[in-house]
Amino acid sequence: MPGPIQSLARAAAILRLLAGGERRLGLSDISSSLGLAKGTAHGILRTLQQEGFVEQDAASGKYQLGAELLRLGNSYLDVHELRARALVWTDDLARSSGEAVYLGVLHQSGVLIVHHVFRPDDSRQVLEVGAMQPLHSSALGKVLAAYDPVAHSEAAENERLALTPRTITDTAGFEDVLELARTRGWASDLEETWEGVASVAAPILDRRRMPVGAVGITGAVERVCQEDGDIQARLVAAVRDCARAVSRDLGAGRF
Amino acid sequence: MTDAHTAGPFIAAIDQGTTSSRCIVFDRDGRIVSVDQKEHEQIFPKPSWVEHDAAEIWTNVQEVVASAVEKAGITAEDVKAIGITNQRETTLLWDKNTGEPVHNALVWQDTRTDALCRELGRNVGQDRFRRETGLPLASYFAGPKARWLLDNVEGLRERADRGEILFGTMDSWVIWNLTGGPDGGVHVTDVTNASRTMLMNLHTLEWDEKICESIGVPMSMLPEIRSSSEVYGTAAVGVLAGVPVASALGDQQAALFGQTCFAEGEAKSTYGTGTFLLMNTGEKAVNSYNGLLTTVGYRIGDQKAVYALEGSIAVTGSLVQWMRDQMGIIKSAAEIETLASSVDDNGGAYFVPAFSGLFAPYWRDDARGVIAGLTRYVTKAHLARAVLEATAWQTREIVDAMSKDSGVELAAVKVDGGMTSNNLLMQTIADFVDAPVVRPMVAETTCLGAAYAAGLAVGFWPDTDALRANWRRAAEWTPRMDADKRDREYKNWLKAVERTMGWIEEEN
């Protein structure tokens, strides 16, 4: 096993120094406290600054801890925050698509539904918040497995049950489906989870473009699909618009 | 915009609110086409005094209208009517000839008229004008605020006597300016806003001469009272010049309208910083013996006025903010649900947030907040649950008071406002009230209500049935709690409420 990497150890020492007592320190304070040559300390600080771990005050030239460190500590997005941000957009998706909207996140080895908007037709419907959907066959699950490495290993390593005759269960076929989802930016479920039901979903990304969930619509295959059996293009567009709008609200750049 | 709803025509709604002014453009299905919003300054000259700069507000209103119309990519020709909704009771006096406010607007939260209201109660107390106005003498309402301005702004009473001064709530201010200001602006208010002045007789829907005299507000400066849905005039300035100004409703009444609560017994509850419940009581003004307010719900053109009972909860969303900002127990408001969901019940703890006394149905200003039932077992997660339960129990108390006063059982609670994204809270309300809780698909019910009333006035929508057809259920929570448990928990809550009372000792 190789020994510790000197520059990383020095970078850690600088971060600890900046985290202690006085918040802002100049280059000479830092180099003298740690017994480093000014040039060495400056090189490390510049790298830390590029990564966002350290910020330099424009006026005084002094250094302080950067915002990226805070984000590292708080990277977990609360699902209720996600629902609050998604509320307006998912309502609009239900209205424009005429179908029920679901928002899901990875939970253990499945998709946990954290938000559900009824199909806007005044029929009797039951709120499905808290329900689970399968990771390998639902549109939400495929999107998560395609974009989130943790979801991918859950889906790849667990048994993929044949829920309908159309469920894709073999490894190569499943990986092809995920590859297609990544290429297109969305995934579908054509009677692969429930007979007669089709879904389409797209990923929600946060400001670091990490997948935090998926949003999609679900409805009768006769309404959701066109003649050739594929999902209607206007529904795909509506779902992707919604996913982009929620992602933008979470701080993701345009994509 | 990818789908067909950009094909007009449209209705523009202006919401002149407490913290910001907004404009939303709606299409015929009641869907939002574009939004713009701008905050204005909250002015605090002294503790518990709150003012707004009305000139700033009018500038902001013009800006958000221009911007919303631009974002929608439309012109005045595409807009069939403008609707107005507004923060209620906030009071302004201005010069009829110059259009300049004589003082900042006194905001509804401002309590400088507390002493004046006590004085106006004489030997009768706060219910002196309740039979005529439906309201207790409290610092919210506009009439005493106008009197305060007349008493405290130098030379104002003389100018008012000479007929140079106009009075208005924010609806009047916006409409007067929009229709031309000093150059032919119409000086009107609607029945819902007028019902919050304490100067209007609820039964005749006219200014009450005796009460105006008792409170000390000359009737000559009051606007004409009109229905909530009719053409008051035509916009004379800005990007929407030439478009009819066709509705005005106080914000809570607009939400009632936007939720299409058009039948007797239908009610809505708006969960924000505080919470407001309004129940349609049909064509009769129901007196409250359980601490609710009687108010006008809306009036469409020449039709009969529809009345409402109103109950408010002072601290709901602000209790969650308090947990976040003052206690630091959560990092974001949404996290209260995460924390509360980590336990199955309240662990025996009850939180009564009587931070500034108890409102409906108790009206006790000697009460202060209490957390009762603490043991070593209780964690912050139990407290988070008690926080959400506090909002649900207070909803139950108001719903009970409404049933008692009106004799109508609530079939369902239609909810809107920011807290409706809290699933656990909505389920808890359904459980505690023992009625379904229903969330509509458009969260912006306040603006939607103003748009609906304006659209009705110009024939954009034929009738209220057409508006009902636009209403879509987005979610519904059904009661799942067994009755014994609910009754037991309610008893505990009521015990906790009792413990808040009498904390503040009589001063003097």
Side-chain angles (χ1 to χ4, degrees), chain A residues 74 76 78 80-81 83-84 87 91-92 94-96 115-124 127 129 241, chain B residues 2-3 29-31 331-332 334-335 337-338 420-423 439-442 470 472-477:
Chain A
N74 287 331
Y76 167 72
D78 191 296
H80 301 110
E81 183 77 41
R83 185 198 297 138
L87 200 68
D91 275 6
D92 198 59
R95 283 200 92 134
S96 66
H115 184 48
H116 170 200
V117 185
F118 289 170
R119 187 174 63 248
D121 63 3
D122 266 348
S123 64
R124 201 81 207 154
L127 205 60
V129 172
D241 280 347
Chain B
T2 49
D3 41 34
D29 294 335
R31 283 182 64 194
K331 289 199 294 281
S332 71
E335 221 182 285
E337 185 176 358
T338 313
T420 56
S421 75
N422 190 318
N423 201 61
R439 181 176 80 81
M441 221 157 253
V442 173
N470 265 346
R472 295 279 182 280
R473 183 183 286 115
E476 177 166 346
W477 293 267

Side-chain angles (χ1 to χ4, degrees), chain B residues 408-427:
Chain B
V408 181
E409 285 283 326
L410 212 62
V413 188
K414 290 180 168 182
V415 295
D416 51 64
M419 287 181 99
T420 56
S421 75
N422 190 318
N423 201 61
L424 178 61
L425 174 63
M426 294 300 115
Q427 181 61 52

Side-chain angles (χ1 to χ4, degrees), chain B residues 80-324:
Chain B
K80 292 298 150 199
I82 304 168
I84 315 281
T85 177
N86 57 288
Q87 51 167 323
R88 304 180 301 174
E89 297 123 10
T90 296
T91 303
L92 185 71
L93 300 186
W94 70 93
D95 187 302
K96 188 185 197 165
N97 300 309
T98 65
E100 281 182 34
V102 300
H103 189 276
N104 281 334
L106 306 191
V107 179
W108 58 275
Q109 300 142 324
D110 185 305
T111 57
R112 78 184 67 184
T113 52
D114 266 346
L116 175 62
C117 286
R118 273 197 299 276
E119 184 193 316
L120 288 169
R122 295 243 199 99
N123 52 351
V124 186
Q126 64 172 14
D127 284 342
R128 182 176 168 203
F129 304 121
R130 191 188 267 270
R131 189 188 313 220
E132 296 84 358
T133 66
L135 308 173
L137 266 162
S139 61
Y140 297 117
F141 305 112
K145 288 187 197 291
R147 158 77 182 272
W148 188 94
L149 288 168
L150 290 167
D151 286 352
N152 289 277
V153 177
E154 180 140 354
L156 192 57
R157 188 164 289 278
E158 292 70 32
R159 287 167 71 191
D161 288 341
R162 288 198 298 270
E164 295 168 14
I165 301 298
L166 299 179
F167 157 95
T169 39
M170 297 318 281
D171 55 318
S172 302
W173 172 243
V174 171
I175 295 171
W176 187 78
N177 278 293
L178 198 55
T179 53
D183 305 317
V186 293
H187 188 219
V188 297
T189 187
D190 93 297
V191 279
T192 67
N193 279 295
S195 76
R196 315 297 290 192
T197 58
M198 284 205 98
L199 303 174
M200 186 186 81
N201 185 304
L202 266 186
H203 311 283
T204 63
L205 303 177
E206 284 167 5
W207 300 121
D208 188 303
E209 207 175 324
K210 269 197 190 140
I211 295 176
C212 289
E213 201 182 309
S214 307
I215 294 184
V217 175
M219 288 177 72
S220 59
M221 66 184 210
L222 300 179
E224 186 187 346
I225 301 174
R226 305 276 285 268
S227 80
S228 318
S229 171
E230 63 175 286
V231 176
Y232 309 123
T234 304
V237 293
V239 293
L240 292 182
V243 178
V245 182
S247 77
L249 289 150
D251 50 13
Q252 297 305 325
Q253 281 88 343
L256 186 75
F257 209 86
Q259 285 269 26
T260 65
C261 294
F262 298 132
E264 189 177 334
E266 289 189 309
K268 71 91 200 176
S269 187
T270 303
Y271 291 90
T273 312
T275 289
F276 291 87
L277 270 94
L278 267 75
M279 181 199 228
N280 181 326
T281 61
E283 289 170 5
K284 54 184 188 296
V286 174
N287 281 324
S288 178
Y289 299 97
N290 293 286
L292 305 173
L293 307 181
T294 308
T295 197
V296 181
Y298 57 88
R299 182 180 186 189
I300 302 171
D302 297 335
Q303 298 174 27
K304 282 192 173 161
V306 169
Y307 293 90
L309 278 170
E310 172 174 327
S312 55
I313 311 173
V315 179
T316 53
S318 54
L319 181 57
V320 176
Q321 286 163 4
W322 182 85
M323 290 286 278
R324 182 192 63 196

Side-chain angles (χ1 to χ4, degrees), chain A residues 57 115 184 199 215:
Chain A
D57 182 59
H115 184 48
R184 298 201 291 197
S199 312
V215 64

Side-chain angles (χ1 to χ4, degrees), chain A residues 37-69:
Chain A
K38 265 194 183 179
T40 310
H42 186 246
I44 295 171
L45 279 164
R46 224 176 42 204
T47 310
L48 288 171
Q49 200 181 346
Q50 278 163 8
E51 295 295 330
F53 293 155
V54 158
E55 286 166 6
Q56 190 177 17
D57 182 59
S60 64
K62 290 189 172 184
Y63 294 92
Q64 62 186 29
L65 293 181
E68 190 60 27
L69 276 176

